[in-house]
Amino acid sequence: MDNITICRCEEVTLEDIKNTAKKYNCTAREIKLRTRAGMGYCGGRTCRPIVDTVMEHVTGEKPGDNIPLKVQPPVRPVSLSTLEGKENEK
Amino acid sequence: MKNNHRIVDHPVLGSLPEKDSITFTFDGKEYSGLAGDTIASALLANGVRTLRVHEASGKPRGIYCNIGHCFECRVTVNSTSGVRACLTEIKDGMVIESGKPEAQPFASKNVQDFPRTYAEFEKKQKVKGDK
Ligand code: FES
């Protein structure tokens, strides 16, 4: 069960998160910086709620306590050509 | 048609309507799909489930959310990288490439083992020499 992948973009397992949380007794934000869970291509939109839940179990930190795992624009990964206004290749 | 992983007769949705067949290539191999397929569904119908591998570990990745949320299915389409296979409609003659593993930096040595000062380095050399 512990070798289940939580963050698929950066390949972080439940075990990694649990061990790091126990070792450093840290916040979700620190977990992110130490393990890279939630820092991958999808922008953390897939695993953020799971990381928050795991943290609640391990350290009792509620999502949004102290320094939350923040969400910031762009909401989706956008290519520079799209930002520039070019149509995506159809 | 070779793709035999489709439900042609669905108990609720009925039978699969006639659709134009299109051809495309994935990693240089030619496949056929149906008009209106997404890249992911066309490949799945051909039995292809691995759309890319993880850049660092090389572990296989495919459809995960299938709603364009997770970017696990990203492929390169006609030289545009990062295209979500689960959202992009397939077009005739599309050239699709899977995600490949990327070059990785050399595994770093244990940092604790490095001497921090020249004095430490000298000491280590001496110990080595003594042996
Ligand atoms: S499978 Fe999640 S974005 Fe395509």
Side-chain angles (χ1 to χ4, degrees):
Chain A
M1 172 68 183
D2 269 6
N3 59 12
I4 193 169
T5 306
I6 299 291
C7 170
R8 301 181 69 78
C9 301
E10 295 291 336
E11 273 201 350
V12 184
T13 60
L14 178 57
E15 193 180 11
D16 294 334
I17 295 181
K18 274 186 176 167
N19 288 347
T20 312
K22 277 194 202 121
K23 184 164 177 197
Y24 298 99
N25 187 29
C26 56
T27 61
R29 168 99 179 126
E30 201 174 324
I31 286 287
K32 173 175 165 177
L33 298 175
R34 284 190 186 277
T35 65
R36 291 197 59 82
M39 290 184 91
Y41 199 104
C42 80
R45 290 173 305 124
T46 316
C47 69
R48 186 186 299 114
I50 315 174
V51 173
D52 273 337
T53 312
V54 173
M55 291 311 287
E56 219 176 318
H57 281 281
V58 182
T59 63
E61 179 196 354
K62 295 258 181 312
D65 267 10
N66 300 322
I67 311 160
L69 288 175
K70 65 180 174 180
V71 185
Q72 66 189 22
V75 174
R76 268 167 204 223
V78 181
S79 71
L80 284 175
S81 63
T82 307
L83 279 184
E84 198 194 336
K86 271 194 202 138
E87 274 277 295
N88 271 346
E89 232 184 304
K90 282 272 154 66
Chain B
M1 207 191 327
K2 261 197 283 135
N3 34 30
N4 39 19
H5 293 263
R6 290 181 196 271
I7 301 169
V8 263
D9 245 319
H10 192 276
V12 176
L13 301 174
S15 55
L16 196 70
E18 276 285 315
K19 280 181 186 163
D20 292 342
S21 173
I22 51 123
T23 57
F24 61 97
T25 68
F26 180 65
D27 279 350
K29 237 182 111 188
E30 203 173 289
Y31 295 95
S32 69
L34 297 180
D37 266 339
T38 61
I39 294 171
S41 74
L43 283 168
L44 190 60
N46 282 283
V48 178
R49 301 178 56 140
T50 305
L51 300 173
R52 51 177 272 267
V53 294
H54 189 263
E55 292 82 352
S57 72
K59 287 191 190 145
R61 292 290 197 275
I63 298 172
Y64 183 53
C65 72
N66 205 26
I67 53 169
H69 178 80
C70 69
F71 281 78
E72 281 293 284
C73 63
R74 59 185 186 266
V75 288
T76 302
V77 176
N78 302 335
S79 318
T80 308
S81 63
V83 177
R84 284 166 290 179
C86 69
L87 281 197
T88 311
E89 194 181 333
I90 197 139
K91 291 271 145 54
D92 201 40
M94 256 185 181
V95 178
I96 303 156
E97 290 286 329
S98 66
K100 310 283 188 310
E102 272 166 22
Q104 295 301 312
F106 293 123
S108 55
K109 300 219 178 73
N110 212 349
V111 201
Q112 275 87 24
D113 295 344
F114 284 126
R116 282 174 309 168
T117 58
Y118 187 72
E120 259 183 47
F121 169 73
E122 263 190 328
K123 220 167 140 192
K124 268 198 173 165
Q125 291 299 99
K126 233 177 148 190
V127 175
K128 259 191 210 160
D130 287 349
K131 269 183 200 162

